Amino acid sequence: MSAMFSHCTPITSDKATSLSSSFYGHNLRRSAQLPGKFFSTISVSSPASSPAFRSRIACQISSSSAATSPPSSSVNVQAKSGQKDFLHINDFDKATILKILDQAAEIKALLKSGDRTFLPFKGKTMAMIFAKPSMRTRVSFETGFSLLGGHAIYLGPDDIQMGKREETRDVARVLSCYNDIIMARVFAHQDILDLAKYATVPVVNGLTDFNHPCQIMADALTIIEHIGHLEGTKVVYVGDGNNIVHSWLLLASVIPFHFVCACPKGFEPDEQTAEKARKAGISKIEITNDPKEAVRGADVVYSDVWASMGQKEEAAFRRQVFKGFQVDENLMKLAGPKAYFMHCLPAERGVEVTDEVIEAPNSIVFPQAENRMHAQNAIMLHLFGL
């Protein structure tokens, strides 16, 4: 009878051989660690030209033909045999985050070179749960997984109706039988926690109402590419204290930089999350209601929509409340000539940001969007232990 309640894990390649080579730390090089500083440089040379790089790729490619293991019949959902999910940035230490970012830069360089021989996800499938639709999340995950040899399955809002037609714990177990990894973009944060609890494969948080860790990893990669380092920078977010702000706060509890959130009164980020970031003692954290003062000396000015998905009925009200928080040319001038503009998209041009700002030379919103794919590929490689 007990076999009736068992759940399975997908058949995957022998990780013992594929672990032998992860591409890390060559094209994105860190200089000697100075107190409170981290400097990164990105090599413009093609990584495919390096013999050592070729050797590492060959080693991983050869592992794709390794023997497979049978499905597990264990009913233990408390432990995952060392598997790690990607639910919050601060679940990982600084060294791990920087390692993932290094790997993201190297994978990006490889794909940009036109090399398509690195296929670590060959034979693997990913289930993508979308309670909230998204162009960037779907295309970046699906394309990225495919470019590295895998196959992604889109499950839209009407395909599962998780928590309504079928309980989350059952969805997690069933999808674990068929897939090697699960990505979910949901409303309630508890849904991603429940998926991770009951799934026997890694679970990636594609977004919840509480946080958006994949986006912030892509943002961090973009800042490193354009400024040269993340540590010591001043990042100023102007707008609603939403899930993007929460993820920045969680990153600031691990990596030292100056983070400022400028928002209207009553729209501040979650107080416990902000206090947790302050108590970590890693970064300088400021929450203010004065955007003009906030952006002075900023390296990055960051914006997002004022009314997120699920809040559109509040859009008209929020436009009134958020007057004075639009990122326009005058606000960017206060930040200084070297300040970059970032936006996680989609943007409502003429609302939270003007067309002139988003199209300006110092706007890096589209490299930022591209980096979603590369950051997520590196996150999944890390979860697979590759």
Side-chain angles (χ1 to χ4, degrees):
M1 290 292 291
S2 62
M4 294 175 62
F5 299 97
S6 66
H7 58 283
C8 53
T9 54
I11 299 174
T12 58
S13 299
D14 183 0
K15 291 184 174 60
T17 54
S18 62
L19 280 170
S20 59
S21 59
S22 62
F23 34 153
Y24 164 53
H26 289 276
N27 292 320
L28 187 67
R29 302 184 300 277
R30 290 202 295 276
S31 67
Q33 295 290 329
L34 300 176
K37 291 288 183 181
F38 164 70
F39 299 94
S40 300
T41 57
I42 300 176
S43 171
V44 297
S45 62
S46 169
S49 63
S50 165
F53 185 84
R54 285 286 188 185
S55 177
R56 290 196 301 277
I57 293 176
C59 187
Q60 290 202 17
I61 293 172
S62 66
S63 71
S64 64
S65 60
T68 56
S69 56
S72 167
S73 61
S74 169
V75 297
N76 178 19
V77 298
Q78 301 301 318
K80 289 177 145 187
S81 303
Q83 292 178 13
K84 298 177 294 297
D85 306 301
F86 193 80
L87 307 181
H88 320 89
I89 288 181
N90 64 327
D91 290 338
F92 301 88
D93 60 21
K94 176 181 174 181
T96 302
I97 291 172
L98 295 179
K99 176 180 179 289
I100 293 171
L101 293 174
D102 279 355
Q103 195 168 32
E106 295 196 353
I107 295 168
K108 179 177 181 177
L110 178 70
L111 292 176
K112 289 286 189 181
S113 76
D115 194 316
R116 296 292 185 269
T117 60
F118 181 60
L119 304 172
F121 298 154
K122 185 176 181 180
K124 297 185 184 297
T125 58
M126 170 173 58
M128 304 189 302
I129 301 172
F130 282 85
K132 283 185 174 185
S134 169
M135 177 182 75
R136 268 155 300 281
T137 300
R138 178 178 179 179
V139 176
S140 61
F141 268 104
E142 190 167 335
T143 301
F145 205 68
S146 174
L147 285 172
L148 298 191
H151 174 67
I153 303 168
Y154 174 79
L155 300 168
D158 296 327
D159 293 322
I160 295 183
Q161 297 182 18
M162 191 171 65
K164 295 180 181 178
R165 190 168 68 186
E166 190 165 3
E167 289 193 26
T168 302
R169 57 184 172 177
D170 295 343
V171 170
R173 289 169 168 139
V174 170
L175 291 181
S176 294
C177 292
Y178 306 137
N179 300 277
D180 300 275
I181 192 166
I182 298 169
M183 186 282 296
R185 179 182 167 93
V186 297
F187 287 92
H189 192 65
Q190 189 60 47
D191 286 344
I192 203 76
L193 298 179
D194 290 343
L195 273 174
K197 178 180 179 181
Y198 290 98
T200 56
V201 298
V203 172
V204 178
N205 180 355
L207 174 141
T208 71
D209 285 346
F210 173 68
N211 72 340
H212 197 354
C214 290
Q215 177 66 59
I216 303 306
M217 289 293 283
D219 297 344
L221 176 62
T222 308
I223 290 171
I224 291 171
E225 286 179 340
H226 288 82
I227 298 177
H229 56 96
L230 174 60
E231 291 191 35
T233 59
K234 182 179 180 181
V235 178
V236 180
Y237 175 96
V238 180
D240 183 30
N242 59 15
N243 51 5
I244 292 292
V245 177
H246 295 156
S247 291
W248 274 113
L249 288 168
L250 295 180
L251 180 62
S253 68
V254 182
I255 294 178
F257 60 97
H258 184 183
F259 179 71
V260 185
C261 173
C263 54
K265 289 182 179 180
F267 292 86
E268 291 86 357
D270 176 66
E271 187 176 341
Q272 290 185 345
T273 304
E275 187 60 24
K276 183 176 182 179
R278 289 191 185 99
K279 286 185 176 179
I282 302 294
S283 300
K284 182 178 180 180
I285 306 294
E286 293 183 83
I287 310 297
T288 180
N289 306 122
D290 186 347
K292 292 181 179 178
E293 186 61 32
V295 300
R296 295 185 187 277
D299 295 293
V300 171
V301 177
Y302 196 116
S303 185
D304 190 10
V305 292
W306 291 342
S308 300
M309 196 175 299
Q311 300 173 328
K312 295 306 180 183
E313 69 281 358
E314 304 175 24
F317 168 72
R318 284 175 174 251
R319 288 193 185 195
Q320 294 299 317
V321 174
F322 281 79
K323 281 184 177 179
F325 287 84
Q326 183 187 71
V327 180
D328 56 18
E329 289 180 301
N330 290 330
L331 196 66
M332 290 302 296
K333 286 178 182 177
L334 290 176
K338 294 183 179 180
Y340 288 102
F341 175 73
M342 300 180 73
H343 193 301
C344 53
L345 300 180
E348 292 192 68
R349 296 178 183 228
V351 182
E352 76 275 2
V353 60
T354 62
D355 194 66
E356 291 77 15
V357 168
I358 207 168
E359 294 291 349
N362 61 337
S363 171
I364 52 175
V365 298
F366 298 110
Q368 177 187 2
E370 179 189 348
N371 280 341
R372 282 287 302 276
M373 181 176 74
H374 306 300
Q376 290 159 186
N377 275 343
I379 288 166
M380 291 186 287
L381 283 168
H382 178 77
L383 297 183
F384 284 135
L386 299 174

